[in-house]
Structure formats: structure tokens, C-alpha cells
Amino acid sequence: MGSYAKAIMTGFICRLCSEQKKKVIHLYSGKAKKLALMKKIKLLPITIDKYDNLPKTVCEQCIERLEIQYNLVLKIKKSNAIQRSHRLFHSNGRCPVECPLHGIHDSNWAGLDTDEL
């Protein structure tokens, strides 16, 4: 009979980092749904099938990293949308009140010609 400490428990292997962890969350649990894990994992270059034979758990450290990545992607998408709409308002080179970036000035950029950037 082998040692329990040396046994590999597939239920405790993280799907994302492949490390054995004591605390994991099952991808199809209520807690995972509350954290929107599957939605956030879709940003990654992997596919997860409910019926594949790979681990269905994610460790807390990977969840934290996933949350940071997800927030960054959301921020980038929001910034991109603001910048695109900002460009639509500038037919004459002035920033009208309707522009989402109207009144936002960075002292480091103020007065610089775009060719200097």
C-alpha cells in the first residue's frame, strides 16, 4: 500500500497550471458560476469541454490571475471604444463637449504636436 501523501488526486489538479493544490474550485460549481470562471477562461487559448477527461478544477492562484487578466481586457476594450468614439467627434480638430474625452488633458502631452510623439 502506498503513501497517501504521494498519491495523485486528479480532483485537486488545476486545469490551468497543472499543479496539485489543496484548494480548488470546480468549474461547474455554483461558486465558479458566481465568479464567471468559464466566461473568463474563454479569453484563454484553450477549450474546455464538460465531458473531456481533463481536470475540471482551478486553483485560487490561477483564479486571481484570471481575474486580473479579465479586468485588463475589459479596460482595454473600454479604452478602445472611447478612443474610437473620440476620433468620430473630431472633424475640425477641436474636442466638442459631446466627446467622451472632452476636458481630459495630460500635462505631459499638452502642447505637443502629434508629429513629436
Side-chain angles (χ1 to χ4, degrees):
M1 206 170 199
S3 167
Y4 184 77
K6 293 181 181 179
I8 295 176
M9 296 180 207
T10 58
F12 293 94
I13 294 178
C14 176
R15 175 68 174 255
L16 302 179
C17 69
S18 297
E19 293 181 12
Q20 188 173 351
K21 303 288 183 157
K22 289 182 181 181
K23 290 187 175 183
V24 294
I25 294 177
H26 195 278
L27 288 172
Y28 299 100
S29 68
K31 188 170 183 176
K33 189 173 184 175
K34 186 177 178 181
L35 294 171
L37 285 184
M38 293 302 285
K39 179 181 179 180
K40 295 170 184 174
I41 288 174
K42 287 182 180 181
L43 296 173
L44 303 174
I46 63 170
T47 57
I48 295 180
D49 179 23
K50 189 173 186 174
Y51 302 105
D52 62 21
N53 61 353
L54 300 172
K56 302 293 186 283
T57 53
V58 179
C59 71
E60 290 177 334
Q61 189 176 18
C62 283
I63 291 171
E64 289 173 14
R65 291 175 178 161
L66 192 60
E67 187 69 28
I68 290 167
Q69 176 193 8
Y70 183 73
N71 289 332
L72 177 62
V73 168
L74 290 181
K75 186 175 184 174
I76 290 168
K77 285 182 177 183
K78 182 179 177 181
S79 177
N80 185 51
I82 289 171
Q83 290 175 19
R84 287 184 180 279
S85 63
H86 178 74
R87 294 281 279 172
L88 294 175
F89 285 105
H90 295 84
S91 59
N92 63 358
R94 292 187 176 175
C95 189
V97 177
E98 300 84 21
C99 178
L101 295 178
H102 179 76
I104 298 175
H105 298 288
D106 185 348
S107 60
N108 295 329
W109 302 102
L112 288 179
D113 185 52
T114 54
D115 293 333
E116 294 175 49
L117 302 176

